[in-house]
């Protein structure tokens, strides 16, 4: 049989008088009730003890919410580049061409090779140059001009808001036309209709034929701050190549859209084989890289992992500090209530009863702290997502993880004080004042 004390220890753990009625505890529920009363009688001390657990649990939830939100944002941005895309990118500098000569790693003629690969539904190239652009209203410096092909809006998912995109004939002839990003159109014309207006890029006068819909920043690219012009115009007026007739005009990147019902790896393998064959190279000698959207998502995710690990350490340290605080206050509680422990032992309480009593108090402190931390964590993650630059996604599993961690902290750090209480000698405990 275990013992129950009708008048439990107060905040100062006043000694029990001989007249106080001490009965035997009947079930664990009564021990839990007494443990809760012990915590509730010292509200301020209990709250301060739980503070480390509260901060730790809240940090876990917020940390995972920020990490999940960042990863979701990265995935959405990469998907915003287009649907089921493959990126064929030239390295910086030049690669070896057939016959031992120096040749660009990726040229405009490679676009046709890529388009002829089975499973490729569309492909476009990009070659960019930065120029000073003038309109009748404003002048902007370091504006990115993107030389590309007529399929660009479909492959790169860049809808046209006003006017049109240039056509295949204008692309091949290098016609002096331009399509403005939404932001650059506003900056150049201050809200006036730009369609049919002229802009000067470098020394070349261009006619505006279209304005793209607002798209914003995707990855590292601000689509609204770009001007799209025919690729041949870039080769003719902005980036003329001395050996273009021999090696071809160099391009920075080729985007290929893959049919959804095709095996992506198989299409990429065929793409590599055909590109290598067209250049007279072995697969081991190709210098360009082929990446998928998932590759980019994984690369960006590795960047956020370091941030996630840092926050995990912060949360872990907070929980550790909270656990030490629980252990400290429980050791103080054992000292304050030594006489109470002795009285319970004298009327039949076993060491396990005493151990369970104090372990329950430690567990209550950690679990209540965990619940408060969950509320603060969810609220903090929501506010952070609403007011900060980084989105947040509250992950339900993080709530269970945080609460489980709080429970583990209470059990781990509460066991030592509870065991100390259980090992007290009844006679010495009764003599304690």
């Amino acid at each position: 049989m275990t013992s129950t004390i009708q008048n439990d220890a107060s905040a100062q753990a006043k000694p029990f008088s001989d007249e106080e009625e001490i009965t035997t505890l009947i079930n664990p529920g009564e021990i839990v009730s007494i443990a809760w009363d012990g915590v509730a009688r010292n509200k301020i001390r209990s709250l301060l003890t739980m503070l480390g657990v509260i901060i730790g649990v809240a940090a876990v939830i917020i940390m995972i919410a920020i990490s999940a939100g960042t990863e979701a944002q990265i995935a959405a941005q990469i998907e915003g580049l287009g649907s089921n895309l493959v990126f064929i990118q030239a390295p910086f500098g030049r690669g070896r061409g057939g016959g031992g000569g120096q040749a660009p790693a990726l040229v405009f003629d490679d676009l046709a090779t890529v388009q002829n690969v089975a499973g490729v539904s569309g492909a476009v190239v990009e070659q960019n140059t930065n120029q000073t652009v003038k309109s009748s209203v404003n002048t902007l410096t370091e504006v990115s001009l993107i030389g590309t092909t007529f399929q660009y809006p479909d492959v790169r998912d860049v809808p046209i808001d006003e006017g049109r995109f240039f056509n295949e004939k204008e692309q091949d002839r290098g016609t002096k036309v331009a399509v403005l990003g939404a932001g650059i159109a506003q900056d150049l014309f201050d809200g006036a209709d730009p369609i049919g207006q002229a802009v000067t890029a470098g020394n070349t006068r261009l006619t505006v034929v279209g304005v793209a819909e607002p798209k914003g920043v995707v990855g590292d690219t601000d689509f609204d701050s770009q001007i799209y012009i025919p690729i041949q115009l870039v080769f003719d007026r902005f980036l003329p190549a001395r050996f273009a007739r021999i090696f071809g005009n160099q391009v920075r990147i080729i985007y290929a859209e893959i049919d959804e019902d095709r095996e992506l790896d198989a299409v990429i393998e065929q793409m590599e084989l055909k590109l290598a064959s067209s250049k007279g190279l072995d697969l081991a000698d190709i210098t360009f890289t082929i990446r998928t959207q998932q590759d980019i998502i994984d690369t960006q995710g590795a960047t956020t992992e370091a941030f996630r690990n840092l926050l995990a350490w912060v949360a872990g340290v907070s929980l550790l500090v909270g656990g030490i605080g629980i252990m400290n206050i429980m050791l103080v509680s054992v000292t304050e209530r030594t006489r109470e422990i002795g009285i319970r032992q004298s009327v039949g309480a076993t060491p396990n009863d005493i151990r369970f009593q104090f372990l329950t108090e430690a567990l209550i402190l950690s679990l209540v702290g965990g619940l408060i931390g969950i509320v603060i964590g969810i609220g903090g993650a929501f506010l952070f997502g609403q007011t900060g630059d980084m989105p947040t996604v509250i992950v339900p599993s993080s709530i269970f993880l945080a609460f489980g961690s709080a429970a583990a902290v209470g059990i781990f750090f509460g066991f030592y004080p509870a065991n100390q209480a259980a090992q007290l000698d009844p006679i010495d405990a009764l003599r304690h004042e």
Side-chain angles (χ1 to χ4, degrees):
M1 295 288 288
T2 54
S3 62
T4 297
I5 299 178
Q6 297 293 338
N7 188 9
D8 202 358
S10 64
Q12 291 77 28
K14 69 177 183 178
F16 285 82
S17 63
D18 294 336
E19 292 78 15
E20 288 178 316
E21 183 181 357
I22 302 174
T23 61
T24 302
L25 286 175
I26 301 175
N27 55 60
E30 293 188 19
I31 296 181
V32 173
S33 177
I34 293 174
W36 174 259
D37 290 340
V39 172
R41 285 179 187 144
N42 301 277
K43 294 181 178 63
I44 300 299
R45 187 171 75 176
S46 297
L47 181 61
L48 293 175
T49 302
M50 292 184 289
L51 194 58
V53 175
I54 293 171
I55 294 173
V57 169
V60 168
I61 295 173
I62 294 174
M63 172 268 296
I64 295 178
I66 292 174
S67 176
T70 302
E71 291 175 356
Q73 183 185 45
I74 291 171
Q77 287 181 341
I78 300 303
E79 291 298 328
L81 293 172
S83 176
N84 211 27
L85 283 185
V86 168
F87 307 82
I88 309 165
Q89 191 163 10
F92 293 104
R94 295 178 180 269
R96 281 282 176 187
Q102 291 289 337
L106 211 57
V107 296
F108 179 71
D109 292 341
D110 292 330
L111 177 63
T113 303
V114 172
Q115 288 174 325
N116 289 330
V117 174
V120 175
S121 58
V124 296
V125 299
E126 273 191 18
Q127 182 66 339
N128 64 305
T129 176
N130 292 334
Q131 301 289 332
T132 297
V133 178
K134 302 176 183 178
S135 70
S136 58
V137 181
N138 292 318
T139 298
L140 303 176
T141 60
E142 292 297 310
V143 176
S144 180
L145 269 65
I146 303 297
T148 187
T149 49
F150 72 98
Q151 289 182 309
Y152 191 89
D154 296 328
V155 174
R156 296 301 312 279
D157 190 23
V158 181
I160 302 302
D161 186 32
E162 300 179 53
R164 63 179 179 85
F165 207 76
F166 54 81
N167 56 43
E168 186 175 8
K169 184 180 293 185
E170 290 169 328
Q171 166 200 304
D172 295 338
R173 292 179 177 179
T175 306
K176 297 175 184 177
V177 293
V179 177
L180 308 181
I184 208 75
Q186 175 67 32
D187 294 340
L188 284 173
F189 293 97
D190 290 340
D193 185 7
I195 304 299
Q197 299 291 327
V199 296
T200 301
N203 298 319
T204 303
R205 185 180 176 87
L206 307 172
T207 300
V208 178
V209 297
V211 177
E213 287 186 3
K215 189 176 178 71
V217 178
V218 180
D220 297 327
T221 302
D222 185 357
F223 282 82
D224 296 341
S225 297
Q226 297 184 148
I227 297 178
Y228 308 101
I229 61 177
I231 186 68
Q232 191 60 47
L233 182 60
V234 172
F235 297 150
D236 293 342
R237 302 302 298 267
F238 297 102
L239 296 173
R242 182 181 302 178
F243 301 106
R245 291 183 178 274
I246 302 173
F247 298 123
N249 288 295
Q250 184 173 7
V251 295
R252 181 177 63 87
I253 192 168
I254 297 176
Y255 296 93
E257 186 177 17
I258 311 301
D259 292 333
E260 292 185 359
D261 59 348
R262 292 281 185 161
E263 180 67 33
L264 190 60
D265 291 338
V267 175
I268 291 175
E269 183 179 357
Q270 287 300 311
M271 201 177 293
E272 290 176 331
L273 288 171
K274 287 197 173 186
L275 285 171
S277 176
S278 68
K279 296 175 180 295
L281 300 173
D282 294 329
L283 280 177
D285 296 328
I286 59 175
T287 56
F288 52 83
T289 58
I290 300 181
R291 305 171 68 195
T292 65
Q293 287 169 303
Q294 187 58 49
D295 293 334
I296 298 176
I297 292 173
D298 292 341
T299 300
Q300 295 289 340
T303 303
T304 63
E305 185 176 359
F307 178 65
R308 182 168 61 247
N309 290 339
L310 175 62
L311 289 178
W313 277 105
V314 172
V317 169
S318 297
L319 285 172
L320 179 63
V321 171
I324 293 173
I326 290 175
M327 178 185 289
N328 178 63
I329 207 66
M330 292 308 300
L331 286 172
V332 172
S333 181
V334 169
T335 302
E336 290 177 344
R337 298 161 66 180
T338 299
R339 179 173 173 78
E340 171 193 337
I341 295 169
I343 293 174
R344 290 181 177 175
Q345 290 174 326
S346 67
V347 295
T350 67
N352 281 335
D353 294 329
I354 303 299
R355 185 179 293 108
F356 184 56
Q357 163 81 33
F358 285 89
L359 188 59
T360 300
E361 289 191 23
L363 190 58
I364 288 174
L365 287 172
S366 62
L367 292 182
V368 172
L371 290 173
I372 297 174
I374 287 172
V375 174
I376 294 175
I378 293 174
F382 178 77
L383 289 176
F384 191 91
Q386 294 295 313
T387 60
D389 295 331
M390 300 174 66
T392 56
V393 175
I394 297 175
V395 181
S397 60
S398 68
I399 298 174
F400 295 105
L401 173 64
F403 193 72
S405 299
V409 164
I411 294 172
F412 181 80
F413 286 95
F415 182 79
Y416 178 74
N419 199 50
Q420 290 291 101
Q423 292 178 352
L424 287 175
D425 182 83
I427 297 177
D428 293 337
L430 287 169
R431 290 175 178 173
H432 183 82
E433 295 294 338

